[in-house]
Amino acid sequence: GQQVMQIPQYQHVQEGEDFTTYCNSSTTLSNIQWYKQRPGGHPVFLIQLVKSGEVKKQKRLTFQFGEAKKNSSLHITATQTTDVGTYFCAGDQAGTALIFGKGTTLSVSS
Amino acid sequence: DGGITQSPKYLFRKEGQNVTLSCEQNLNHDAMYWYRQDPGQGLRLIYYSQIVNDFQKGDIAEGYSVSREKKESFPLTVTSAQKNPTAFYLCASSITFSSNQPQHFGDGTRLSIL
């Protein structure tokens, strides 16, 4: 069945360093969504990418959707302690339920 | 203030006991979902409902049951057949079941075995 793989599982950075998490699907996706879950909290929707090669920015966060619509990345520039949490990608083929990756847990030391 | 309310926040189950987790939303969303979250496993779909009086099994439905008698309510029962129920359970909703709709999550229920 369809799978959404996410790497790395864990990442520790010093405050001010950059961070990237990658998401790969075994099949072409109709769209991809990104969520952030703070420690002890629930996932919160960040953004959705729909078009092949799409790039979107939210302040220090840059999201990309691959040309083949099978992979995506989230890049954070100059991490801050407020970026701590687990970042999930979620994708699907049209008409199916979202499949979530296992997430990348980011820790930041000041 | 619109949102999704899950209760209780913490729940303890005895061996052989069924327990029901509550999920209520006042967002007027058609679609609702139940996920199970274990450490390092991400979110796994248990059941989902596209519309009232309808629901489908997700990837890990065995040992669970749901109902969707009202648009705003989607309770999850963890039955005694679920041998490893200890986990964090998240309820979510979206405007429709369409894949381009973001999901809104409740605060979750943490279930443990006594």
Side-chain angles (χ1 to χ4, degrees), chain A residues 68-104:
Chain A
K69 300 183 74 173
K70 286 187 175 182
N71 57 75
S72 180
S73 65
L74 158 59
H75 179 81
I76 302 179
T77 303
T79 55
Q80 300 176 358
T81 54
T82 53
D83 296 324
V84 164
T86 300
Y87 294 85
F88 294 98
C89 62
D92 73 323
Q93 296 173 306
T96 67
L98 276 177
I99 297 177
F100 283 79
K102 292 186 177 182
T104 296

Side-chain angles (χ1 to χ4, degrees), chain B residues 24-114:
Chain B
E24 302 278 332
Q25 54 100 357
N26 60 5
L27 300 167
N28 200 32
H29 286 177
D30 280 331
M32 297 187 74
Y33 315 81
W34 274 105
Y35 294 93
R36 170 178 171 143
Q37 187 173 32
D38 297 281
Q41 293 297 314
L43 303 174
R44 292 185 290 169
L45 184 63
I46 304 172
Y47 269 97
Y48 65 96
S49 169
Q50 298 189 41
I51 201 165
V52 65
N53 291 322
D54 169 81
F55 52 83
Q56 282 88 38
K57 292 181 179 180
D59 300 320
I60 56 166
E62 186 175 351
Y64 301 96
S65 66
V66 294
S67 63
R68 186 86 188 276
E69 297 176 359
K70 296 186 296 182
K71 186 175 185 177
E72 59 270 22
S73 179
F74 191 39
L76 173 74
T77 297
V78 184
T79 74
S80 57
Q82 173 49 245
K83 298 306 179 187
N84 184 24
T86 297
F88 186 48
Y89 291 87
L90 286 160
C91 178
S93 71
S94 59
I95 295 173
T96 66
F97 182 68
S98 172
S99 63
N100 64 0
Q101 295 294 327
Q103 294 187 11
H104 300 257
F105 286 82
D107 289 338
T109 292
R110 200 166 294 277
L111 176 62
S112 301
I113 295 297
L114 285 178

